[in-house]
Amino acid sequence: AQSVTQPDIHITVSEGASLELRCNYSYGATPYLFWYVQSPGQGLQLLLKYFSGDTLVQGIKGFEAEFKRSQSSFNLRKPSVHWSDAAEYFCAVVAPSGTYKYIFGTGTRLKVLA
Amino acid sequence: GAGVSQSPSNKVTEKGKDVELRCDPISGHTALYWYRQSLGQGLEFLIYFQGNSAPDKSGLPSDRFSAERTGGSVSTLTIQRTQQEDSAVYLCASSTLGADSETQYFGPGTRLLVL
């Protein structure tokens, strides 16, 4: 079955520390991959996406993610976290063709300590 | 331009009542999606509209849920005879055709509480 796993439900980091949020997927073929962020009471904002090519992708707000086909992973990273990064982060995958129904992970809630 | 908008932002209703949730996609976007975000279930796909094609309703959880899209733009998600388990955030997203068609842009959601 197609699925996305975000193994960490909650993560707490200190401001200025580095961050890595994990995402693993199970899919028949290499899907398109996305990271979204949801601040409290807000919708989902796209951070970055991977379709093909360079496996290290840069996004907004200083985030990057690396696609590793051998590990079926698409982990999100940021070298130095800011207090405003506190939010919930969702990894999503979609088939490279068709109706583009996203399959989401269950999300990782990030808390940032001052 | 403006992003995806949804109304109302919050809705409280009594069990058994019908509710209508509205989505205005980004102008020019031909594809429109509804998702439900609930505790314990995460984000679930509900329904997809693309142009004049028949919608993909494969994610609707029961026949109490329906959606329509008028004039290829605004969409309304209707939940009849609401149940407490329908309490969730309902998110709408839209996307364009061609380049970037795989990227969905989300609205702020409607928070539905069924008492």
Side-chain angles (χ1 to χ4, degrees):
Chain A
Q2 300 162 350
S3 65
V4 177
T5 301
Q6 293 181 246
D8 303 305
I9 299 173
H10 297 278
I11 283 186
T12 301
V13 299
S14 298
E15 191 170 20
S18 63
L19 173 70
E20 182 169 30
L21 302 182
R22 295 181 289 166
C23 173
N24 292 91
Y25 65 89
S26 174
Y27 214 84
T30 300
Y32 294 155
L33 299 142
F34 304 81
W35 275 99
Y36 284 83
V37 60
Q38 185 177 36
S39 298
Q42 304 295 313
L44 300 172
Q45 181 183 20
L46 178 67
L47 285 175
L48 48 76
K49 58 189 176 185
Y50 173 79
F51 292 172
S52 64
D54 191 346
T55 57
L56 185 64
V57 293
Q58 302 297 320
I60 62 171
K61 304 186 179 188
F63 285 92
E64 66 177 26
E66 185 172 13
F67 169 63
K68 292 186 177 180
R69 185 188 305 273
S70 61
Q71 298 177 19
S72 297
S73 69
F74 188 55
N75 294 347
L76 181 72
R77 301 194 293 249
K78 186 168 184 178
S80 178
V81 170
H82 188 263
W83 64 267
S84 61
D85 293 324
E88 190 155 20
Y89 292 79
F90 292 92
C91 179
V93 303
V94 70
S97 62
T99 58
Y100 302 133
K101 291 182 283 189
Y102 279 17
I103 299 173
F104 284 92
T106 50
T108 297
R109 186 169 297 277
L110 174 65
K111 182 177 180 180
V112 180
L113 301 176
Chain B
V4 177
S5 61
Q6 293 186 245
S7 60
S9 52
N10 292 281
K11 176 72 176 178
V12 181
T13 191
E14 294 179 346
K15 178 181 174 181
K17 296 287 180 73
D18 297 352
V19 296
E20 286 188 351
L21 313 180
R22 177 186 167 105
C23 171
D24 274 285
I26 293 172
S27 178
H29 279 195
T30 57
L32 187 147
Y33 303 77
W34 283 98
Y35 292 85
R36 178 170 69 175
Q37 183 178 24
S38 53
L39 289 176
Q41 297 295 323
L43 278 149
E44 305 169 277
F45 165 81
L46 295 178
I47 189 169
Y48 159 74
F49 295 91
Q50 174 59 276
N52 295 320
S53 302
D56 179 346
K57 304 179 182 180
S58 60
L60 295 178
S62 77
D63 59 8
R64 295 187 296 105
F65 287 72
S66 63
E68 63 178 17
R69 190 177 184 193
T70 54
S73 180
V74 172
S75 176
T76 302
L77 177 69
T78 301
I79 309 173
Q80 296 178 308
R81 305 180 303 281
T82 51
Q83 303 295 311
Q84 289 181 331
E85 60 263 29
D86 299 334
S87 296
V89 177
Y90 290 83
L91 291 166
C92 176
S94 69
S95 66
T96 186
L97 276 178
D100 200 34
S101 59
E102 305 84 359
T103 302
Q104 296 177 23
Y105 297 87
F106 286 81
T110 293
R111 286 153 188 79
L112 174 66
L113 177 61
V114 182
L115 300 177

